Amino acid sequence: MNDNVVPLHRGETPREPSLAPMLGLTASAMNAVNAVILDKMQSEIPLIPALAGHLISGGGKRMRPMLTLAGAELVGYHGTRHHKLAAAVEFIHTATLLHDDVVDGSETRRGRQTANIVFGNPATVLVGDFLFSRSFELMVEDGSLKVLKILSSASAIIAQGEVDQLTAQREIETSEDRYLHIIGAKTAALFAAASRIAAVVAERDEAEERALDDYGRNLGIAFQLVDDAIDYDSDAASMGKDQGDDFREGKMTLPVILAYARGNEEERRFWRDAIAGFRTEDSDLAHAVNLIRGHDALNATRERARHYAERAIAALSIFPDGKARAAMTEAALFAVSRGY
Amino acid sequence: MNDNVVPLHRGETPREPSLAPMLGLTASAMNAVNAVILDKMQSEIPLIPALAGHLISGGGKRMRPMLTLAGAELVGYHGTRHHKLAAAVEFIHTATLLHDDVVDGSETRRGRQTANIVFGNPATVLVGDFLFSRSFELMVEDGSLKVLKILSSASAIIAQGEVDQLTAQREIETSEDRYLHIIGAKTAALFAAASRIAAVVAERDEAEERALDDYGRNLGIAFQLVDDAIDYDSDAASMGKDQGDDFREGKMTLPVILAYARGNEEERRFWRDAIAGFRTEDSDLAHAVNLIRGHDALNATRERARHYAERAIAALSIFPDGKARAAMTEAALFAVSRGY
């Protein structure tokens, strides 16, 4: 149990925050988005839908398109343009995941073999490129230069964040600031863009665009922080992410940055060796988890996440109360509490 | 010597076709394009310009942006929008090359080590993604939805062509039709788009757009056919492409398709083994070159290229005579004769 309980109305029972209201809010529109995704991942080359479908039907949360759909509800948009654009957002994300798995040599994702393992690196790189191109075709079909600007800029920022992360890999002296800069680019930029475009299709003013951008960006940082905590949290093996991947790849995430900063000289020596790639046994991972817990670095990481979730929630304050805002508020609380 | 001589005006000496008139026609605009390329490949992440610059400054012909610039001259466009768009075209091409080299595991390109060898596959994939995103940012800055549609569609077709080529790899029964379909996608689509957008920025009519598209598409096929011939032409080692790469990778290109079709049973057995990957020695490559020459398959491939070059030249017939048309005509003849 943690203290992320959902704000109560009189007479309600306290409960853990959940994504259920957000899923409910967007369920019907998500069916339309899924239909676009299914349609647009087709190609005369059978390997393309086979490979793309392996990941796309692999049980992702569709978090990013969900933000577009929830944002559209929040601003009272009644059209259908956002279906195509939410699919474009998911394609950008899927392309990134495919390339990430090649870059990291990952073997499982969401509890299944990765596409690079099933179909090989070459096909995985190229199908990522296809989905990326397709996402721009979808945006062009929609026809908003403003949306194209937001999403092409987000894509360039994501790629830079990924390269930056690669540069920081195995660099024990990576600072918390640099880490936040990296996750702001590789993760939060697309969360922000996905949310913001809802205000654009609804033709709301700059203040609402910015508010949705702030919501998505802070939510994205909270999500990534908690993802990075979960990678060292053995009770969360059921999350479907390969536990200990970050450790073996020498990725500098906040739990490690904090444990290293708070460690004594012997512990810091361990971290230097581990991040440099000289300690990759299960017993090393177990030791790393113990050090991280001993310094309360998982809770501290979640505390940082709570801070960003609160900023995400605060960004919604300019919008009227209602189902959409409540669902988006609870989604931010869920981002912090999940995996506990 | 071959019979691709440049059409003569009275009193001129016959000469081999050259890219020089095209280079001269576009030289000053290409300086502007290179400035955009240099500016837009920058990033706060130093690895990005280092890796991108390795390939971009590696002495490519800038053939695709040159088509945009030459097309603009042909239709008498006097603005500067095409500089940015030509840079976008080159970024798409560069991203494709970076990913190609990862996919093929290539070690040299244009006589230098490939980026994947110098910087590793992960960074190469991600910088390719960055350049691809950047190309869309450039198009968005220009602001033409029509150009965005042409280039996003070309990008999706290229990716499909690359996947299709991957599927055909090591498939000895690949037909000439399928091969032409693949190179039409992976190479000619971007040549066509690069040419076409010149008519778009100049706001010329659909007929001129189509004519430039036809020119670029046919020229692209001619170029690729000759590239594929050069890979089996030992006199052309100075071209800077790894000779025999296609052979070792089991790529089904026209010289092989023709030699296989024209071979006796013993030769066909050799080709089946070679394309399947069981004959990768230098002596096997030498044998392959002999078989290809014995069946005159290099000349036949160049003959096919000449056919497409002639179609490219014919497509220009709707435009007035002049320096631009003459340079583009000679470029098509050069496409066929180069490497001889």
Side-chain angles (χ1 to χ4, degrees), chain A residues 20-316:
Chain A
M22 185 90 148
L23 288 164
L25 180 75
T26 57
S28 130
M30 191 61 85
N31 285 336
V33 174
N34 283 330
V36 177
I37 288 174
L38 206 65
D39 179 38
K40 295 294 179 176
M41 74 185 209
Q42 296 310 313
S43 158
E44 49 166 23
I45 318 296
L47 179 54
I48 289 177
L51 194 154
H54 176 81
L55 177 56
I56 286 173
S57 67
K61 291 182 295 293
R62 301 262 199 281
M63 200 60 214
R64 293 152 190 83
M66 203 186 298
L67 290 175
T68 309
L69 303 181
E73 289 289 331
L74 184 71
V75 299
Y77 174 67
H78 295 300
T80 56
R81 283 176 56 197
H82 59 322
H83 298 162
K84 225 174 234 177
L85 295 175
V89 165
E90 185 67 2
F91 277 171
I92 291 174
H93 176 56
T94 307
T96 307
L97 290 186
L98 290 173
H99 288 184
D100 272 359
D101 284 340
V102 169
V103 163
D104 293 339
S106 308
E107 294 180 4
T108 62
R109 177 179 287 279
R110 299 170 189 159
R112 306 173 68 200
Q113 280 199 311
T114 50
N116 45 309
I117 296 299
V118 179
F119 300 93
N121 282 342
T124 305
V125 169
L126 297 174
V127 173
D129 290 348
F130 170 76
L131 292 175
F132 199 59
S133 304
R134 229 344 107 81
S135 82
F136 279 95
E137 288 194 296
L138 276 163
M139 292 176 232
V140 170
E141 274 182 38
D142 174 67
S144 160
L145 276 167
K146 197 163 178 184
V147 168
L148 274 155
K149 185 179 163 78
I150 291 166
L151 284 172
S152 62
S153 159
S155 298
I157 288 167
I158 292 167
Q160 291 178 87
E162 300 272 355
V163 177
D164 200 13
Q165 172 174 262
L166 196 66
T167 316
Q169 212 166 345
R170 306 218 173 277
E171 285 292 339
I172 189 68
E173 298 298 341
T174 303
S175 68
E176 181 170 347
D177 269 4
R178 179 157 182 212
Y179 163 79
L180 284 171
H181 188 67
I182 289 172
I183 68 172
K186 75 161 190 166
T187 306
L190 191 55
F191 273 69
S195 305
R196 179 173 206 132
I197 59 176
V200 176
V201 294
E203 298 178 5
R204 307 304 290 244
D205 65 17
E206 175 69 20
E208 296 199 8
E209 263 187 51
R210 218 169 25 232
L212 275 171
D213 190 295
D214 284 347
Y215 171 79
R217 189 174 310 276
N218 285 295
L219 180 65
I221 293 175
F223 249 94
Q224 188 62 58
L225 282 162
V226 172
D227 259 2
D228 291 345
I230 287 172
D231 204 55
Y232 287 97
D233 192 342
S234 59
D235 302 336
S238 62
M239 294 301 289
K241 196 186 170 195
D242 272 10
Q243 224 210 351
D245 267 7
D246 292 346
F247 179 73
R248 290 190 199 86
E249 291 161 13
K251 282 207 181 127
M252 288 301 291
T253 61
L254 192 57
V256 173
I257 292 170
L258 295 177
Y260 179 67
R262 296 170 181 183
N264 61 32
E265 195 35 53
E266 189 194 328
E267 292 169 11
R268 290 163 72 97
R269 208 159 33 237
F270 167 80
W271 284 116
R272 277 193 293 270
D273 290 351
I275 291 302
F278 302 117
R279 293 190 169 275
T280 58
E281 301 297 314
D282 285 355
S283 58
D284 296 318
L285 175 59
H287 185 55
V289 168
N290 277 338
L291 293 181
I292 284 172
R293 292 195 166 176
H295 289 294
D296 212 28
L298 291 188
N299 284 326
T301 300
R302 282 187 188 270
E303 274 312 310
R304 299 281 203 292
R306 180 191 318 281
H307 161 82
Y308 289 101
E310 277 163 11
R311 282 168 62 174
I313 292 167
L316 299 179

Side-chain angles (χ1 to χ4, degrees), chain A residues 7-13:
Chain A
L8 289 181
H9 297 279
R10 214 190 314 243
E12 282 183 344
T13 318

Side-chain angles (χ1 to χ4, degrees), chain B residues 48-161:
Chain B
I48 290 178
L51 194 154
H54 177 81
L55 178 56
I56 286 173
S57 67
K61 292 180 295 294
R62 301 264 199 281
M63 200 59 215
R64 294 153 190 82
M66 203 187 297
L67 290 175
T68 308
L69 302 181
E73 290 288 331
L74 185 70
V75 300
Y77 173 68
H78 296 299
T80 56
R81 282 176 56 198
H82 60 323
H83 298 162
K84 223 175 235 178
L85 295 175
V89 165
E90 185 68 2
F91 277 171
I92 292 175
H93 176 56
T94 307
T96 307
L97 290 187
L98 290 174
H99 287 184
D100 271 0
D101 284 341
V102 169
V103 163
D104 293 339
S106 308
E107 294 179 3
T108 62
R109 174 178 290 280
R110 299 169 188 161
R112 306 173 68 199
Q113 280 200 311
T114 50
N116 44 309
I117 297 298
V118 179
F119 300 93
N121 282 341
T124 305
V125 169
L126 297 175
V127 173
D129 290 349
F130 170 76
L131 292 175
F132 199 59
S133 304
R134 228 344 105 83
S135 82
F136 279 95
E137 288 193 295
L138 276 162
M139 293 176 229
V140 169
E141 274 182 38
D142 174 68
S144 160
L145 276 167
K146 198 163 177 184
V147 168
L148 274 156
K149 186 180 163 80
I150 291 166
L151 284 172
S152 63
S153 160
S155 298
I157 288 168
I158 292 167
Q160 290 179 84

Side-chain angles (χ1 to χ4, degrees), chain B residues 158-190:
Chain B
I158 292 167
Q160 290 179 84
E162 299 273 356
V163 177
D164 200 12
Q165 172 174 262
L166 196 66
T167 316
Q169 211 167 346
R170 307 218 172 279
E171 286 291 338
I172 188 70
E173 298 299 341
T174 303
S175 67
E176 181 171 346
D177 270 4
R178 180 158 181 210
Y179 164 78
L180 284 171
H181 188 67
I182 289 172
I183 68 173
K186 75 161 190 166
T187 306
L190 191 55

